[in-house]
Amino acid sequence: MIYIVIALVIVIASTIVLTQKSIIRVIAEKRALPIIEDILFPQGEQNKAQIIQDIHQLTNNRLSDELVMDYFYKIKGLQVLNINRPMNFWVKMYLTTPTKVKLNYFEQVKFYETFLNYPKIHSDIGSDNRVNPGNQIEKKIKAQLVGKLIPQKFA
């Protein structure tokens, strides 16, 4: 009888250990999505529907809405939210997990071209109005990505 109880405890403990990460990911997704949606979609569902439609055009409708939005939330969430600043634990956990879908190279390039400056909010929300040298670097990089070449000195 004691061996059955010990075996049952071992089975339950090993099951919990093996499924712990997937359970935490599900909880993180449930708690983080409302926060991320408020940041990325200030205009609401109409804006979200337009994004879904744009991504479906990029991928030729090969992905479901859930997979498309997971990719969008994680990629744009990491871009918009500064991961080095203090933020909600569940948001950080959700954004640092891998995406559920992998786009091919051409789809990724189209995605970044389409959504490079989306949304038009500044990453330094709440900071004072001093000029941040990091912002100048970001502007130069974005200008290069858009195609406006910046003259550089070659040594």
Side-chain angles (χ1 to χ4, degrees), residues 15-16 38 46 53 59 65 79 97 106 120 125 141 146:
T15 304
I16 290 173
D38 287 343
Q46 181 183 5
Q53 182 181 5
T59 61
D65 289 349
Q79 182 184 7
T97 58
F106 299 107
K120 300 209 182 343
I125 295 175
I141 292 171
V146 172

Side-chain angles (χ1 to χ4, degrees), residues 118-134:
Y118 178 88
K120 300 209 182 343
I121 59 174
H122 198 23
S123 62
D124 292 334
I125 295 175
S127 65
D128 43 344
N129 293 329
R130 287 181 275 152
V131 176
N132 186 355

Side-chain angles (χ1 to χ4, degrees), residues 66 71-72 100 111 122 134 141 147:
E66 177 188 338
Y71 188 83
F72 182 80
K100 294 178 184 176
F111 179 86
H122 198 23
I141 292 171

